[in-house]
Amino acid sequence: MNRIELTRNPLIKGALKNRYPQLALFVAMLVGYLFAILAGLISTPVGNQNFSIVFVWIAWWAILILVAVPFFGRGWCAVCPIPLPGEWLQRGATLDPPHRKPGWANLRWPKFLRNIWLQNISFLLLALFSTLVLTSPKLTSVILAAMLFVALGLSMLFERRSFCRYLCPVGGFVGIYSQTAPIELRVKDKRVCATCEGKPCYNGSASGYGCPWDVFPPGLSKNTECGLCLECLRTCPHDNIAVNLRPFSADLARPSARLDEAFKAFIMLGSAMIYAGILLGPWGAVKDAAYHVGTGTWYLYAGAFLAVIFVILPVPFAFCAFGSGNRHPFKKRFSTLSTALIPLGLSFWAAFSLSFVLSNGAYVLASVSDPLGLGWNVFGTANIAWFPVLTSLLAPAQTLALVGGLVWSAHTARNAAGEVHVSPIPAILYCLAATLVMLWLLL
Amino acid sequence: MKIRRIGLLLLAASGLAVVFTPLPAASPAPQARTFRIDAGQFAYSPSTIDVNPGDRVTIQLVSTDVVHGLYVDGYGASVEADPGQTATLTFVADKAGSFRFRCNVSCGAMHPFMIGKLNVGTNNRLLRSMGLAGLAVAGIFLLPSFLPQGKSNQERFGA
Amino acid sequence: MKRRELVTRVLIAVAVVFAVGTPLYFWLRTPLIHAKIAENGGWSPDVLLARPGEPLHLRLTSDDVVHSFAVGKTDMQSVDVLPGKVTDVTLTFDKPGTYTFYCTRWCGLNHWRMRGTIQVGDPASTVAAGAAPTAGKVDVPLYVTLGLDIDSPHDSPLVPGVRPSAADGEELAADSSVSKFIDPDFYRTHSPYQAWRELRNTSSYSGLSDQQIWNLVAFIWRSNTTAEELASGRKRFAQNCAACHGENGAGHGVFADQLTAAGQASMKTMAGAKDMRRQTPANFADAKRMLGASPALLQGKILRGGMGTGMPSWGPIFTQDQSWDLVAFLYSFPFLYQE
């Protein structure tokens, strides 16, 4: 048996269907989020001592990329506070649907933007300014606040969670990487859906709201777009929705042929390698160029960054998709094959983040005792001097992650290549080459 | 089936060999080396130093703008210097490999990324990891039945 | 609306107000003194008020790099002010007046400009409160009393061929005719060259070579100070002077190039300003320059600074003793005090 239905257990099902546990988590996250915004604005401007930087770019990032995404897919989206104020306003309620729905515009998201290109762009923008963002508490706060306000504004204009689905820079990569996770939400039996009247999973009912992610649950075959908000679990009158435990990367067995997702894979792969070089390498001139936004050297750096992502990485990969007499269009071959880069990208980010987090994790201790930089010492750890955490384990862990990701990618490549009738060998060699470069950058 | 099992065993054995076989160490006689490293926001100059295993390494840290530190990963040795007061750190490079050294005194925005590299002998860890990666790919090519192929995935994993 | 919904909304509102209000509340109620590098504003606030005899509790934090806090013209041990961390200092001033506080760990080219004042006195009578400034009593530096010109060059007309050795001088100092030179009143008001000239004109030393007389001068200079004073001067030099003047006093400290550039850059439009040799920090091993300067002259340069260069004024910072110790140490560059 390769899928275990978790919602068969009445305790689990009850906890997931009940709005209170979810709301409690939501409010806790929102409080933390708002506190982080405040701390970034009024606490110390020293990045590594500021609660906002430490808890967003070190603690939250570590949990996201090392735990939430690989093991829970879009699990972070399930508890993320960003859409909440807008959504409560949009819905006119914080719990069950109200009798009278508020009359917001609820426009349909424009068709030509129904893809992840906007998310690719928003992530790239963040990535280009990342050295500045990662070290500047005020800028971090501004970005956090901006996301909150944009999500709110979009909820007033458009239906459902348009920010989350089409704009959020985090959602872009969490979505495609969630295909690797061992958790999924799916309908149990599509035949039941065929005879269902009203389709409340998509349109809402008195027990819950229609899918905020604009997903039609019977059509849900991959984790990419499902944000695990569990509304469909509440609205389905036929108890036909299940949350399952399943083998890792089951979704990659049916590779996607979308170009926007293909480029997202390159964006993530490229940025992991670039960050490993800039942030963890000994090349001061590049760090300077990346940090001093607006200077001539920064434009050079930005150009190089974009060149890696849009030229240096995809062009050799395009050669992997060659095949004479192949009946599949080139675009389909390229995009399908690029699915192999998803496990690779995830392992690259995990390996990079391990180094980043273990070297800087000690700051969490100091920050938790004095979150506002006012001289508090709540847990007695405020004046702890920096120390590296578990760095002796770092190299083996990174090797494991990278080699494991390589094997996983090779496996995915074989599968994807089979779908479009090309040889997987060039793609596997490409993954090997990328892995060797990443090993050299990190170890 | 049997061939597959033998293949897997061979693969595992080669993997262990790659990870654990002692590499022939080209051991030149250890000597005392001194390096002057200038530290300025946010880089070291020189940012990479090479020594042989067993060398007695002395680093003279010269801060050129604000107070900087130098902490060597893996050795745990560190020193701090004010501008105008060169600080000296001495240790024996008994562990071979490639180690980052970083600033351990908050020195401004990019402080967490102020990093240099100390190479003690050859970076065996990197070589072994690269070997493992190559071996993994070789394994995938040579043992096609090691991992199930495309179509059968869809059968196994269902709708 | 259902009661559950109302209760939930209230709870959410309370949580949000708590999340936003708590940090704001504590932030507004915790006055901190922020230290930033001088280029970004230095100490803020930089004027503090205190009452005589009442403890002044200060909470300091750095907004960028490592700084340190001390009050000038005292023997106070400086207290580190670290980025993102808060340091508590309590000061008590017995006498009213204006005190200078300053940063004691180099934090950039303009580190020495990081200063502020503490006004101790009856609040109504401080300048900050609008009272007319009253001239406090200042120790008049010796160079002022002597009417020395500390801005003009003071090259020694004669220099030794080899670095004069105090130990060799000690061997030569047989009779009491040197003891009159081992006296603060003589030492502070005469340059080594002037001492050399007097010794040269003394009949009992007519048999000695010029170099030997210089060795005697070196011995005399060393005898006018003690090992403790030299150690104190050495420490003061390392902490305050070496960053510009170099750890070996030769003038090429880590900030020397920036100082030269700063001096030249500001003069770019002046004709004939290309030859701004004096913009580089002084080389204390330069015998011509040092042996023509009396301790009073050197002390004056240290206390007043300027001279058309980037030399800071240390008057509000060093006590008299501290400045004399430093001056004594400076002579250990042209003279050889230890074998």
Side-chain angles (χ1 to χ4, degrees), chain A residues 62 224 239 249 408:
Chain A
T224 319
D239 187 28
S249 76
W408 198 357

Side-chain angles (χ1 to χ4, degrees), chain A residues 160-355:
Chain A
R160 309 177 197 257
R161 287 190 186 179
S162 305
F163 174 82
C164 300
R165 173 105 192 234
Y166 298 110
L167 211 56
C168 179
V170 181
F173 69 85
V174 170
I176 60 167
Y177 285 169
S178 65
Q179 295 175 84
T180 62
I183 274 203
E184 63 178 17
L185 182 144
R186 301 281 188 272
V187 301
K188 296 187 210 177
D189 187 345
K190 282 199 188 163
R191 291 166 299 184
V192 174
C193 304
T195 56
C196 169
E197 287 222 15
K199 310 280 192 280
C201 56
Y202 184 76
N203 295 310
S205 69
S207 342
Y209 307 90
C211 179
W213 292 83
D214 199 25
V215 167
F216 186 48
L220 195 56
S221 59
K222 291 145 79 79
N223 284 351
T224 319
E225 267 104 36
C226 167
L228 293 175
C229 71
L230 307 171
E231 286 299 323
C232 53
L233 199 62
R234 297 173 185 128
T235 50
C236 179
H238 311 291
D239 187 28
N240 199 23
I241 303 272
V243 175
N244 301 323
L245 207 58
R246 64 177 198 180
F248 280 92
S249 76
D251 286 343
L252 294 178
R254 5 165 116 256
S256 150
R258 286 170 53 167
L259 201 62
D260 55 348
E261 290 187 8
F263 271 96
K264 187 60 180 169
F266 285 111
I267 290 175
M268 295 306 291
L269 202 70
S271 45
M273 296 169 85
I274 292 174
Y275 285 172
I278 294 180
L279 300 180
L280 304 181
W283 305 295
V286 198
K287 288 183 223 248
D288 255 352
Y291 180 71
H292 290 105
V293 170
T295 57
T297 38
W298 180 80
Y299 281 108
L300 273 175
Y301 153 79
F305 196 113
L306 294 172
V308 166
I309 292 189
F310 289 108
V311 178
I312 298 180
L313 285 180
V315 166
F317 196 78
F319 285 103
C320 301
F322 277 10
S324 56
N326 193 305
R327 58 183 167 92
H328 298 280
F330 177 75
K331 191 170 131 185
K332 178 167 184 222
R333 278 181 268 147
F334 181 80
S335 310
T336 306
L337 208 53
S338 69
T339 314
L341 301 177
I342 290 175
L344 199 68
L346 183 58
S347 73
F348 276 26
W349 272 99
F352 161 74
S353 304
L354 269 173
S355 177

Side-chain angles (χ1 to χ4, degrees), chain A residues 2-3 48 135 254 279-280 282 287 291 356 359 363 386 388 395 399 410-411 414-415 436 439 441-443, chain B residues 43 47 71 100 102 104 106 109-111 113 115 117 125-126 129-130 133 140 144 147-150 156-157 159:
Chain A
N2 49 58
R3 266 172 178 67
N48 55 305
T135 55
R254 5 165 116 256
L279 300 180
L280 304 181
K287 288 183 223 248
Y291 180 71
F356 179 72
S359 333
Y363 293 127
W386 168 86
T399 303
H411 171 45
R414 286 237 307 255
N415 191 52
L436 293 177
L439 279 169
L441 284 171
L442 287 176
L443 255 56
Chain B
S47 60
Y71 172 97
R100 285 179 167 77
R102 51 183 83 236
N104 62 341
S106 265
M110 287 282 278
H111 155 73
F113 307 122
I115 292 175
K117 256 200 164 193
R125 262 204 185 135
L126 177 62
S129 305
M130 287 177 155
I140 288 170
L147 294 167
Q149 265 273 15
R156 285 181 77 207
F157 294 160

Side-chain angles (χ1 to χ4, degrees), chain B:
Chain B
M1 265 305 131
K2 247 204 172 158
I3 299 179
R4 179 179 165 187
R5 239 187 229 157
I6 293 175
L8 278 176
L9 272 170
L10 271 175
L11 198 65
S14 328
L16 286 172
V18 169
V19 173
F20 291 111
T21 315
L23 289 174
S27 26
Q31 59 179 113
R33 289 179 203 271
T34 304
F35 297 92
R36 177 192 146 131
I37 297 186
D38 280 4
Q41 290 173 325
F42 296 95
Y44 293 102
S45 165
S47 60
T48 312
I49 57 181
D50 301 291
V51 304
N52 293 322
D55 280 353
R56 189 175 174 75
V57 183
T58 299
I59 294 178
Q60 289 173 337
L61 184 65
V62 177
S63 283
T64 61
D65 45 19
V66 301
V67 179
H68 287 287
L70 191 145
Y71 172 97
V72 187
D73 279 354
Y75 284 90
S78 73
V79 74
E80 174 180 312
D82 288 38
Q85 300 178 62
T86 303
T88 310
L89 172 68
T90 306
F91 62 97
V92 176
D94 49 5
K95 286 186 254 202
S98 196
F99 304 90
R100 285 179 167 77
F101 55 87
R102 51 183 83 236
C103 183
N104 62 341
V105 175
S106 265
C107 57
M110 287 282 278
H111 155 73
F113 307 122
M114 189 166 162
I115 292 175
K117 256 200 164 193
L118 168 71
N119 294 317
V120 183
T122 44
N123 190 351
N124 288 336
R125 262 204 185 135
L126 177 62
L127 294 174
R128 291 188 200 279
S129 305
M130 287 177 155
L132 264 181
L135 191 66
V137 167
I140 288 170
F141 286 148
L142 296 173
L143 295 174
S145 58
F146 172 45
L147 294 167
Q149 265 273 15
K151 290 271 157 65
S152 59
N153 269 354
Q154 286 182 333
E155 287 159 26
R156 285 181 77 207
F157 294 160

Side-chain angles (χ1 to χ4, degrees), chain C residues 44-67:
Chain C
S44 109
D46 62 352
V47 177
L48 308 172
L49 302 175
R51 290 221 184 93
E54 265 184 34
L56 177 68
H57 299 292
L58 301 175
R59 314 200 72 201
L60 303 135
T61 183
S62 165
D63 284 356
D64 43 30
V65 298
V66 171
H67 295 284

Side-chain angles (χ1 to χ4, degrees), chain B residues 83-84, chain C residues 106 108-112 237-257 259-260 279-284 310-312 314:
Chain C
W106 277 88
L109 179 64
N110 292 299
H111 147 80
W112 68 271
F237 182 85
Q239 284 172 348
N240 299 290
C241 320
C244 296
H245 286 280
E247 289 169 65
N248 56 3
H252 208 84
V254 292
F255 291 115
D257 288 338
L259 275 172
T260 317
Q279 295 308 315
T280 49
N283 174 3
F284 298 126
M311 173 67 186
W314 297 99

